[in-house]
Amino acid sequence: MEVLSSRMILRPRDHDRSVRFYRDTLGLAIHREFPGGTVFFLGQGLLEVSGTGSSGPSQDQMLWLQVRDVAESVRQLRERGVEVLAEPEHRPWGLIEGTVADPDGTRLVLVEVPAEHPLRGDVRQHR
């Protein structure tokens, strides 16, 4: 299978509220809009908010969002009224992570990759 494109699709309980959250509170740019849906740029991926859900998010699912500065991102989101589920913390696997929630409770894990982390290394040096 050759994957050409991908996106995460959320079915929020309140579509307009969720679009405002991702557009205005998080500041995501809109990729495209269509009747009943909005697709946002999400770093190297896309996030589609469309339709209406009824059961809410599963605690087994989350969005992983790499940011430049987790502490600053969490601070700004808290000031905007976003629920903070976990303060930024240096995790055992070397990343700094903090967790916030969207209006439906979907967990957004904000991740900072420290300069010394292997993900920041130049893989060309190891060839």
Side-chain angles (χ1 to χ4, degrees):
M1 176 176 79
E2 180 181 6
V3 177
L4 302 177
S5 180
S6 65
R7 69 176 68 165
M8 171 74 174
I9 300 174
L10 293 180
R11 302 273 190 242
R13 286 184 227 147
D14 181 330
H15 178 265
D16 292 340
R17 177 184 69 179
S18 290
V19 167
R20 284 191 306 274
F21 174 81
Y22 286 101
R23 182 192 61 215
D24 303 335
T25 304
L26 288 189
L28 299 182
I30 294 174
H31 170 61
R32 69 182 286 260
E33 296 177 288
F34 54 90
T38 304
V39 180
F40 295 96
F41 287 105
L42 194 61
Q44 295 177 356
L46 297 171
L47 172 67
E48 177 180 320
V49 177
S50 62
T52 303
S54 59
S55 61
S58 164
Q59 290 304 303
D60 296 332
Q61 299 167 334
M62 61 197 79
L63 294 177
W64 191 93
L65 307 174
Q66 183 179 345
V67 298
R68 293 190 190 281
D69 185 330
V70 171
E72 179 63 16
S73 295
V74 167
R75 184 192 66 73
Q76 289 175 358
L77 291 173
R78 177 181 280 119
E79 287 178 356
R80 296 175 192 158
V82 175
E83 180 183 7
V84 176
L85 302 175
E87 295 294 332
E89 177 183 0
H90 204 120
R91 305 298 293 168
W93 43 89
L95 300 174
I96 302 168
E97 298 180 0
T99 306
V100 300
D102 82 355
D104 282 333
T106 299
R107 291 178 297 155
L108 311 175
V109 181
L110 307 180
V111 179
E112 179 180 335
V113 181
E116 68 280 1
H117 194 279
L119 287 176
R120 286 278 187 102
D122 186 344
V123 296
R124 295 174 296 182
Q125 296 174 2
H126 301 290
R127 290 184 181 177

